């Protein structure tokens, strides 16, 4: 009884370390975040078809489920003449490695 419980526990631990399947949206997002220039939430949302709040929730899930930390690489504020103010601003994210 104890042996079977321990073997099931070991199996679950190895499943948590699985690599994502090829061609998934998760793989697309991780590839974008690993680029040297990083990616914005808007770029990821456009590439995946997700809403922007879904992208930010995905970032939180990466940290919680896979231990992958997404960091802010750069904040770009566009204010001044002929700029959109806060609506034109964006944040560039990158995987912390």
């Amino acid at each position: 009884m104890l042996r079977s419980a321990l073997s099931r526990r070991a199996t679950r631990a190895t499943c948590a370390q699985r690599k994502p399947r090829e061609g998934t949206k998760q793989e697309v997002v991780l590839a974008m975040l690993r680029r040297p220039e990083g990616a914005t939430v808007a770029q990821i949302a456009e590439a995946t078809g997700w809403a922007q709040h879904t992208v930010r929730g995905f970032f939180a899930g990466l940290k919680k489920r896979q231990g992958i930390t997404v960091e802010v690489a750069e904040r770009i504020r566009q204010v001044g003449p002929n700029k959109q103010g806060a609506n034109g601003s964006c944040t560039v994210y990158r995987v912390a490695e």
Side-chain angles (χ1 to χ4, degrees), residues 37 39-43 52 56 72-79 84-93:
E37 68 271 15
T40 65
V41 170
Q43 290 170 336
Q52 291 188 5
R56 288 187 289 272
V72 173
E74 180 180 10
R75 292 186 197 271
I76 301 170
R77 281 196 51 99
Q78 297 180 359
V79 292
Q84 298 178 7
N87 292 334
S89 301
C90 62
T91 304
V92 178
Y93 295 93

Side-chain angles (χ1 to χ4, degrees), residues 5 9 15-16 20 29 43 54 81-82 94:
R9 183 176 291 169
C15 289
V29 173
Q43 290 170 336
T54 305
N82 302 322
R94 190 176 303 136

